[in-house]
Amino acid sequence: MDKPGPGQSVSSAPMTVLDRLDPSAICRVMGEFRDALRAHQRHINRLNVYPVPDGDTGTNMALTLESVVAELDDLGANGDGPDLTAVCGAIGHGALMGARGNSGVILSQVMRGFTSVVREAGTFDAPTFAAALTAASDAAYEAVMRPVEGTILTVVREAAGAAETAVAGGRDLVASLDAARTKALDALERTPELLPVLAEAGVVDAGGAGFVLFLDSMLHVVDGREMPTPTEGEGVVSAHPHLVDADGVGHQHHDSDVGDLRYEVMYFLEAPDETIGAFKDVWAGIGDSIVVVGGDGLWNCHIHTDDIGAAIEAAIDIGRPRTIRVTDLAEQVEEERWVREGAAEPGSGPEAPSEPVPCAVVAVATGPGVQRILHSLGVHQIVAGGQSMNPSTAQLLDAVDAVPADEVVILPNNKNIVAVANQVDAETTKTVRVVATHSVVEGMAALLAYDPQAPAADNAVSMADAADEVVTGEVTTAVRDSTCEVGPIATGDYIGIGPTGIVSVSATLADAVTGLVDRIVTDDHELVTILEGEGSSPATTRHITEWLDEHRPDAETEVHHGGQPLYPYTLGVE
């Protein structure tokens, strides 16, 4: 048997080594996996190339497994009642409904692909494990329209290959698991060789690290292998000093796609369902950030690409694109932020509209001031959330089902929540459309175009057009020493983030905000909306408004108290 990896040891306590897993044992695996993700969550979250407090891969994966375990608990699956089919169904459904962020969505596909094979086989032995892991890999690649090696995709695929080889050699379940785990760890350690951003940061892939814990959990249940414990500097493969905080924890990329493709192309596509697979293949060759959702002849399509014509022609070849929207994007670095944990119950929050309407709005937001503003603009339900507490499909679904309308528009207000929001329509009898807002200020602008008497499809178009007119900026505090195009960044510095990334750095909040404003507000802009968050002050706000009066006199200024955490100021420029 291959030796255990770092942080593992073989338990000396006598136990029965399993050659197959029954439904109860599978439930134990899921519980152990959830607990392991929780234990390693902080370390995985803190692995972050970008020096802002936005790492959330560990949280998203853990919350996805929380939903899985909750589904199993509802079955009473830790007893003798539910059969294998019910257990596998609960894992797949729980993963789908609980998926948060890109990492959670990919993990949910891994779980669903894995359990689909186990359910069909009717047993969980070594051959089933290998086949299931291969199916999990296939499902994960299918979930990402432009797969990138050096990520969780690579780790799952290579682990599956090792399991298949072990089974072909006649090895039992323990040996097959051990082979898969050893290969997964090897693939994880090689992710920096495949993905330049990891090599530059000197870290391994966070999602892949989380997946290895799934194999650890199975080994724990099958032969008593001790679970790995979190270690300081977990995931760091370079000794460069900027990679480790005072507590020794390394930093990795945050849970998002970062690309340099110039155009965003979106449209509705009327086309036969059987043609969509080939359509996705064409798009995979011309762009990134691809989302194609829908069914029954109508699809909502989104891509980032440098070739607008090819993106539209691919639709014309198989059907009829309509409501085409093209946006010119600046090269972006993800601007996500932490939020406090928790989700607003349906109907909570001040001034929530309650009268029945043809079309209602559900929005994701945090901060009492922000929630009051959104309610005053017509939002019916607010789900508290953001990058470090991405709401699940189930939470968004609960809010959609609670609103007094048959049609609903969702405002995610964060790029990392868009994919989860896009899953809601398929889970409800209501008509749901998503306006892919990436910030609260974009959501506020979108609401100015909201008509509660209009259909959701019409609202989605007009609200998206309104959101596109907004330039977003945010100021937060650097969590570690780093560098950027503006210059060096020290821990505790204030950094201003615009559409192109970090554009201002200062030891004082006022200078960081005015530096940001100077970069994103031009003489052509007419309105600057300032949302005060935690850490703002009347003196700083007055400094900002006076700077605007002097340097951008034609721009009107609106100041609102948002109360958002970690970002003292969020700006919207129109």
Side-chain angles (χ1 to χ4, degrees):
M1 180 182 297
D2 298 323
K3 67 180 182 179
Q8 282 194 314
S9 63
V10 178
S11 173
S12 59
M15 67 162 289
T16 301
V17 177
L18 305 178
D19 61 0
R20 66 187 62 242
L21 295 177
D22 60 18
S24 178
I26 295 173
C27 293
R28 286 176 55 206
V29 169
M30 293 298 122
E32 292 289 344
F33 188 24
R34 184 272 313 274
D35 293 346
L37 286 170
R38 281 298 190 196
H40 291 257
Q41 173 180 325
R42 172 176 170 271
H43 294 270
I44 296 175
N45 280 350
R46 296 288 303 279
L47 298 172
N48 178 31
V49 169
Y50 207 47
V52 298
D54 64 355
D56 63 353
T57 298
T59 299
N60 284 339
M61 297 180 83
L63 289 172
T64 301
L65 262 292
E66 289 282 7
S67 179
V68 169
V69 172
E71 288 273 347
L72 294 173
D73 287 344
D74 287 344
L75 277 180
N78 291 312
D80 296 326
D83 59 15
L84 187 63
T85 298
V87 167
C88 290
I91 293 171
H93 185 260
L96 172 66
M97 299 306 293
R100 277 133 160 121
N102 294 336
S103 57
V105 170
I106 293 173
L107 180 61
S108 74
Q109 291 299 100
V110 169
M111 294 292 102
R112 296 175 73 194
F114 192 94
T115 54
S116 67
V117 170
V118 175
R119 179 172 51 214
E120 183 176 350
T123 188
F124 191 138
D125 53 12
T128 302
F129 163 67
L133 204 56
T134 298
S137 176
D138 292 342
Y141 273 90
E142 184 177 350
V144 181
M145 284 308 304
R146 191 174 179 86
V148 175
E149 297 301 331
T151 64
I152 184 176
L153 302 178
T154 305
V155 178
V156 178
R157 173 174 53 78
E158 296 202 11
E164 294 280 10
T165 299
V167 167
R171 304 183 76 180
D172 61 12
L173 181 58
V174 174
S176 299
L177 278 166
D178 222 352
R181 198 267 177 188
T182 298
K183 189 63 175 178
L185 185 61
D186 175 68
L188 177 65
E189 292 172 345
R190 289 187 290 103
T191 53
E193 300 174 16
L194 301 174
L195 195 57
V197 67
L198 299 181
E200 292 169 6
V203 292
V204 298
D205 178 71
F211 171 75
V212 172
L213 294 173
F214 177 49
L215 303 176
D216 289 324
S217 301
M218 282 192 277
L219 281 165
H220 176 75
V221 171
V222 169
D223 81 337
R225 195 78 54 87
E226 289 187 5
M227 293 296 293
T229 56
T231 58
E232 296 304 315
E234 181 177 353
V236 174
V237 296
S238 169
H240 193 286
H242 87 271
L243 298 174
V244 182
D245 283 338
D247 60 1
V249 179
H251 291 275
Q252 191 184 337
H253 65 297
H254 47 80
D255 181 32
S256 65
D257 290 328
V258 178
D260 57 1
L261 297 169
R262 181 168 181 177
Y263 299 102
E264 179 186 60
V265 179
M266 297 184 67
Y267 50 72
F268 290 102
L269 172 59
E270 295 175 358
D273 292 6
E274 61 270 17
T275 64
I276 297 302
F279 170 76
K280 290 180 181 179
D281 289 341
V282 173
W283 263 23
I286 62 172
D288 205 341
S289 298
I290 296 169
V291 179
V292 179
V293 296
D296 297 325
L298 181 62
W299 301 83
N300 193 333
C301 307
H302 170 283
I303 186 173
H304 288 180
T305 182
D306 286 328
D307 194 338
I308 299 170
I312 297 173
E313 288 168 2
I316 296 173
D317 287 343
I318 62 169
R320 185 173 76 90
R322 57 183 176 85
T323 319
I324 299 171
R325 180 163 62 89
V326 178
T327 302
D328 192 354
L329 301 168
E331 182 176 356
Q332 292 186 346
V333 177
E334 184 60 50
E335 307 167 5
E336 298 164 344
R337 60 186 180 272
W338 276 21
V339 299
R340 293 189 181 94
E341 292 192 357
E345 294 296 328
S348 68
E351 305 173 10
S354 58
E355 292 298 319
V357 291
C359 179
V361 177
V362 169
V364 180
T366 187
V370 170
Q371 293 184 3
R372 282 192 294 271
I373 294 168
L374 294 181
H375 280 319
S376 72
L377 292 173
V379 171
H380 293 76
Q381 296 288 334
I382 291 177
V383 179
Q387 187 50 38
S388 289
M389 184 61 189
N390 295 155
S392 66
T393 304
Q395 288 173 305
L396 293 175
L397 179 61
D398 287 344
V400 165
D401 287 341
V403 297
D406 293 329
E407 299 195 6
V408 183
V409 172
I410 298 178
L411 299 176
N413 295 334
N414 187 294
K415 183 178 180 180
N416 204 39
I417 300 173
V418 174
V420 174
N422 280 331
Q423 298 184 89
V424 175
D425 185 49
E427 303 299 324
T428 179
T429 57
K430 295 186 177 183
T431 298
V432 178
R433 294 292 181 267
V434 177
V435 177
T437 49
H438 294 173
S439 68
V440 169
V441 288
E442 287 184 14
M444 291 166 58
L447 287 164
L448 297 178
Y450 163 56
D451 179 359
Q453 302 301 316
D458 292 348
N459 268 316
V461 174
S462 59
M463 293 170 74
D465 288 342
D468 283 344
E469 298 299 318
V470 178
V471 177
T472 300
E474 294 174 312
V475 175
T476 189
T477 306
V479 297
R480 65 173 173 83
D481 294 348
S482 185
T483 60
C484 66
E485 291 184 1
V486 180
I489 303 171
T491 301
D493 277 350
Y494 292 100
I495 52 179
I497 307 170
T500 59
I502 298 174
V503 297
S504 68
V505 179
S506 177
T508 67
L509 177 57
D511 288 344
V513 181
T514 53
L516 170 64
V517 171
D518 191 27
R519 291 290 299 272
I520 67 173
V521 183
T522 70
D523 292 334
D524 295 330
H525 286 121
E526 300 175 350
L527 176 64
V528 179
T529 301
I530 301 173
L531 283 182
E532 298 176 312
E534 293 180 0
S536 64
S537 69
T540 301
T541 301
R542 185 169 60 254
H543 180 87
I544 299 166
T545 57
E546 289 176 352
W547 189 97
L548 283 164
D549 287 342
E550 179 181 355
H551 296 90
R552 303 291 188 272
D554 293 333
E556 180 182 351
T557 302
E558 292 185 358
V559 179
H560 304 278
H561 179 69
Q564 67 273 10
L566 295 175
Y567 283 74
Y569 289 96
T570 298
L571 308 175
V573 184
E574 303 173 60

